[in-house]
Amino acid sequence: MFSFIYFAFASLLLSLPLLCSAAPLQYRRSQASPQKRDSYTLQDTYAGANFFDSWTFFDSSDPTDGYVAFRNQSAAMSQGLAKVDSNGTIIVGVDSTTTLTTDQLNAGEYRGSVRISTQKTYNGGLFIYDVIKMPVGCTTWPAIWSTATDSWPNNGEIDMIEGVHESTQNQVSIWLGGVKPSSRSISGSVSNLVENTDYSNCDSTTNDNGCPTMDPTQNGWGANFNANGGGVFAKLWDPEVGIKIWHFTRSNIPADITSKNPDPSSWGNPVSFLPNGDNCDIASRFKDHMLIIDITLCGDWAGSSYSCGGTCLAATGDPSNYVDAQFMLNSILVYQAS
Ligand SMILES: *[C@@H]1O[C@H](CO)[C@@H](O)[C@H](O)[C@H]1NC(C)=O
Ligand SMILES: *[C@@H]1O[C@H](CO)[C@@H](O)[C@H](O)[C@H]1NC(C)=O
């Protein structure tokens, strides 16, 4: 006890001069920086106890053919599938307690899950997602993405976080809305992955998969991501620049993100970059996106890639497959260049 008090007292003394000099140091540094950059103003904060007030719960059958029953808001909240815990952690998950019989599943009585979208729509911005945990488990197909409220795919789709089952890699996919662009060459200092992408093939009407790019790191998705306390995903959607996605592990989150003064020009290569240009006019191909979070089961991707034994449908009957099938987030912040 004595040594604890002594330690606390000593560290208080030590920290005082640091606290006092923090502000002027920061001020000097920003004055000294010669580099011109956009500055960003916080527009929307999705966080805290009222998080779900600004989202719509989608409760129709899954457009991607999953064996899932998306719950409306009152059902999702009363069943604990959508909640904000006492620490302000936002949780969106799959029912992990109900057992479903083969008869129930064959009758289309599927497992409860959540698909939510923002009531507000966007035509650009800098979107910062602080994610603590990704859903993992056989049959799962979670995604954090954005698209327009209607006329899909004409207004494009940006899949920032997406994977299936027990994958360890995040797949970022960008689907262009509108007519197919002619082939274009990609240049600039972007990751190899993006340079290898053929953007002439991103048109959703001719390529059913959009333009996928795999985050090469093994900690951007799934169990490894979760074991490290998650991290931050940033999406810059700037009609003049293009669309860029970054991923930072929890221990590598840039200080300017933490201090809510984000500076994408300092973040290095994105995981994915679709540049604006003659063949791909970002402003006309991406419009009026709502932000979406969902977890479906089986369906077009997780169903066709299922390999955990038996059928994907039968596996959805077992609640033990869903003990880790939750997204946990601290916040989603939306900034606009100013
Ligand atoms: C929500 O769904 C439940 C069934 O899951 C249903 O009983 C209830 O009427 C629905 N509520 C609304 C507002 O649609
Ligand atoms: C809140 O955070 C504390 C400290 O990290 C943790 O012990 C506790 O389990 C958390 N509470 C909930 C409801 O997650």
Side-chain angles (χ1 to χ4, degrees), residues 59 71-75 79:
D59 64 352
R71 302 297 189 210
N72 63 33
Q73 181 157 8
S74 57
Q79 293 167 19

Side-chain angles (χ1 to χ4, degrees), residues 26 29 248 251-263 266-267:
Q26 211 168 25
R29 194 182 58 196
F248 305 105
S251 54
N252 288 310
I253 299 170
D256 56 81
I257 288 185
T258 310
S259 67
K260 300 191 178 173
N261 184 26
D263 176 12
S266 69
W267 295 345

Side-chain angles (χ1 to χ4, degrees), residues 169-225:
Q169 281 178 274
N170 181 34
Q171 178 171 298
V172 178
S173 302
I174 297 179
W175 308 58
L176 303 184
V179 296
K180 183 178 163 71
S182 58
S183 183
R184 57 172 299 155
S185 59
I186 307 300
S187 60
S189 61
V190 293
S191 68
N192 290 337
L193 243 141
V194 175
E195 286 174 289
N196 290 339
T197 300
D198 174 8
Y199 287 105
S200 64
N201 216 14
C202 296
D203 175 18
S204 2
T205 57
T206 55
N207 176 5
D208 202 30
N209 288 312
C211 259
T213 57
M214 241 350 149
D215 180 343
T217 64
Q218 294 288 326
N219 54 18
W221 181 264
N224 292 346
F225 178 87

